[in-house]
Amino acid sequence: MSSFMLTAMLVLFAASIPVAVAIGIAAVIGVANFTNFPLIVAAQQLYVALDRFPLAAIPFFILAGNLMDVGGISRRLVDFAKSIVGGIQGGLPATCIVTCMIFAAISGSSVATTFAIGAVMIPALIKAGYPVPFAAALMATAAELGVIIPPSIPMILYGVTTQTSIPELFMAGFGPGILIGGALIATVLIWCRITGWGKNDGEGRLSVLTATKQAGFALFMPFVVLGGIYGGITTPTEASVIAVIYAVLVGMFLHREITLRDLYPIFKKSVISSAVIMFIIACAGLFSWLLNRQGVPDAAAELIVHTFDSPTWYLLGVNAFLFVVGMFVETSASIIVLAPILAEAAERMGINQVHFGTVMVVNLAMGMITPPFGVNLFAAAQVAGTSIDRMMRYLPIFIAVIFACLMVITYVPAIVMFLPDLVFR
């Protein structure tokens, strides 16, 4: 049954059927033709896949990101980041990356980061003389940090799927996020030196004091959200609700950029985005349930353990495999379907689950900036008014930088585990 379901899913992918629908159809075919269960079981398992309290954090973090975009928080974060790094040659691209790092500590979503920060940064980069495709490619790449620096929706999914501590996963994301952000900043600064771009990037820059005052409420938000989680005061789900309340209060009553009329389109956009992710989770959950009934995770774990004779080779093989998967399959679906199989094999080899989950999320995040289905590419191209084909001139360098960071994260576990060990051990 499992081989037939996988084949059916791949055929549907090739036919350009949406990922969630393809997974759901393949699973329903499996229930109807290879089990004795009535089809109502499929509906039951779709519900069971969503009946997990931590998943409630996803729509709230998405809503918080959209509220911050409309409420002026993203624009103030850009001004703050520019006041710090915008005064040097290449400072504007560096500002884009730093802003994404800060916004990532609030939103949990790379697509939300692309739209929220891209709406401010892409026009600014173009106005400063940077090529449109470069601005779009940089924005798409920097926004990937939205799912690496906590809170992170993919990390929530990994934690729920593999029963791994979500607070530990969140804490583990800081090291890789700072490493990747720093590497990208170094890359754009060197690039601008070579090309001669960005010599006037300091124009219009606010003083650090002024920018900090304007962005004060925005900068305090990560402390409210993450401080509650790590202080043991709130769960990640409760923190996501606090993020929404905070964004509403700041946007409506402090910045006064959100009106009652704005709330309906904000909520509508958030509901649509959340529904897409939840539908993927439900269909992937049904698919995973059938695979588990067939013993596929155990069999695959046994095969992997006997194929790779050391954790070093296993991690290399998993990274190569996930890089290819991430190019074609949406991140949430990949985690829900593959995490139970790969994590079980990793555990048998003595690989820490928090470390492995972080490696998996960082790797699959690259799928957001690799054709043909990189969601960040489509979002950035839409904001910039360019095509993905034109962005491909600049993307390979950014992808190479992130892949190099991934190898460091994979084989230097201390980068991932330093903070979790410090806080939770």
Side-chain angles (χ1 to χ4, degrees):
M1 176 178 76
S2 56
S3 59
F4 183 86
M5 288 169 52
L6 290 169
T7 302
M9 182 178 67
L10 293 174
V11 169
L12 291 170
F13 283 167
S16 298
I17 302 296
V19 170
V21 177
I23 294 173
I25 291 174
V28 170
I29 290 174
V31 173
N33 294 286
F34 298 97
T35 73
N36 295 322
F37 295 120
L39 276 177
I40 191 66
V41 169
Q44 179 191 49
Q45 289 302 317
L46 290 174
Y47 173 80
V48 169
L50 297 176
D51 189 23
R52 300 172 183 177
F53 182 69
L55 292 180
I58 294 174
F60 284 112
F61 276 128
I62 291 173
L63 175 58
N66 289 331
L67 286 166
M68 288 184 288
D69 180 21
V70 179
I73 289 178
S74 56
R75 188 184 69 254
R76 287 169 171 81
L77 290 177
V78 168
D79 289 340
F80 172 75
K82 187 176 180 180
S83 73
I84 298 174
V85 298
I88 57 178
Q89 184 176 351
L92 209 53
T95 297
C96 177
I97 297 164
V98 172
T99 307
C100 286
M101 293 174 71
I102 300 172
F103 196 83
I106 307 171
S107 71
S109 166
S110 67
V111 177
T113 303
T114 304
F115 281 114
I117 305 303
V120 180
M121 282 306 313
I122 290 178
L125 286 163
I126 295 171
K127 184 178 179 180
Y130 291 90
V132 176
F134 172 84
L138 174 65
M139 187 66 246
T141 304
E144 178 190 316
L145 294 167
V147 299
I148 298 172
I149 296 176
S152 163
I153 291 173
M155 285 184 179
I156 293 173
L157 295 178
Y158 180 89
V160 170
T161 305
T162 63
Q163 302 300 307
T164 304
S165 168
I166 294 175
E168 286 192 46
L169 286 167
F170 278 4
M171 189 64 76
F174 280 109
I178 294 171
L179 173 66
I180 294 172
L184 288 174
I185 290 171
T187 300
V188 296
L189 292 180
I190 294 170
W191 199 334
C192 288
R193 288 284 181 179
I194 295 172
T195 60
W197 296 342
K199 292 182 178 179
N200 300 316
D201 280 357
E203 294 180 359
R205 184 167 64 104
L206 299 175
S207 68
V208 175
L209 182 60
T210 301
T212 303
K213 283 182 179 179
Q214 292 184 2
F217 293 112
L219 293 171
F220 188 64
M221 191 170 183
F223 294 98
V224 173
V225 175
L226 298 177
I229 296 173
Y230 300 133
I233 302 170
T234 64
T235 65
T237 303
E238 292 164 347
S240 68
V241 178
I242 292 172
V244 170
I245 296 171
Y246 189 93
V248 169
L249 292 176
V250 171
M252 293 189 71
F253 301 109
L254 297 175
H255 294 168
R256 297 183 180 180
E257 295 191 24
I258 297 178
T259 64
L260 288 175
R261 185 178 298 176
D262 295 323
L263 290 179
Y264 175 75
I266 292 172
F267 275 82
K268 180 181 178 181
K269 180 181 178 181
S270 302
V271 166
I272 293 172
S273 299
S274 301
V276 170
I277 293 177
M278 290 301 185
F279 185 51
I280 292 173
I281 293 170
C283 292
L286 172 60
F287 194 90
S288 298
W289 175 74
L290 287 169
L291 292 181
N292 280 322
R293 284 191 59 85
Q294 291 291 306
V296 172
D298 288 335
E302 285 288 341
L303 176 63
I304 292 170
V305 168
H306 288 96
T307 301
F308 297 96
D309 56 3
S310 72
T312 300
W313 285 107
Y314 173 70
L315 287 170
L316 183 63
V318 165
N319 273 322
F321 172 65
L322 291 178
F323 181 75
V324 175
V325 169
M327 294 174 66
F328 299 96
V329 183
E330 201 272 339
T331 301
S332 300
S334 299
I335 289 174
I336 294 172
V337 173
L338 297 174
I341 300 172
L342 299 177
E344 185 169 342
E347 188 171 21
R348 294 188 187 190
M349 289 190 170
I351 300 171
N352 184 280
Q353 290 293 287
V354 173
H355 176 223
F356 184 77
T358 306
V359 169
M360 190 171 185
V361 169
V362 172
N363 192 312
L364 290 173
M366 281 196 293
M368 299 175 179
I369 57 169
T370 51
F373 300 129
V375 290
N376 284 13
L377 298 183
F378 292 105
Q382 180 180 337
V383 175
T386 188
S387 66
I388 294 176
D389 290 345
R390 296 181 64 199
M391 292 164 63
M392 287 306 299
R393 177 181 176 184
Y394 304 100
L395 271 173
I397 294 178
F398 292 134
I399 293 172
V401 170
I402 295 176
F403 192 83
C405 291
L406 172 63
M407 291 296 99
V408 175
I409 293 163
T410 301
Y411 294 112
V412 186
I415 294 174
V416 176
M417 296 306 301
F418 173 74
L419 286 177
D421 287 342
L422 187 66
V423 175
F424 296 102
R425 300 292 184 267

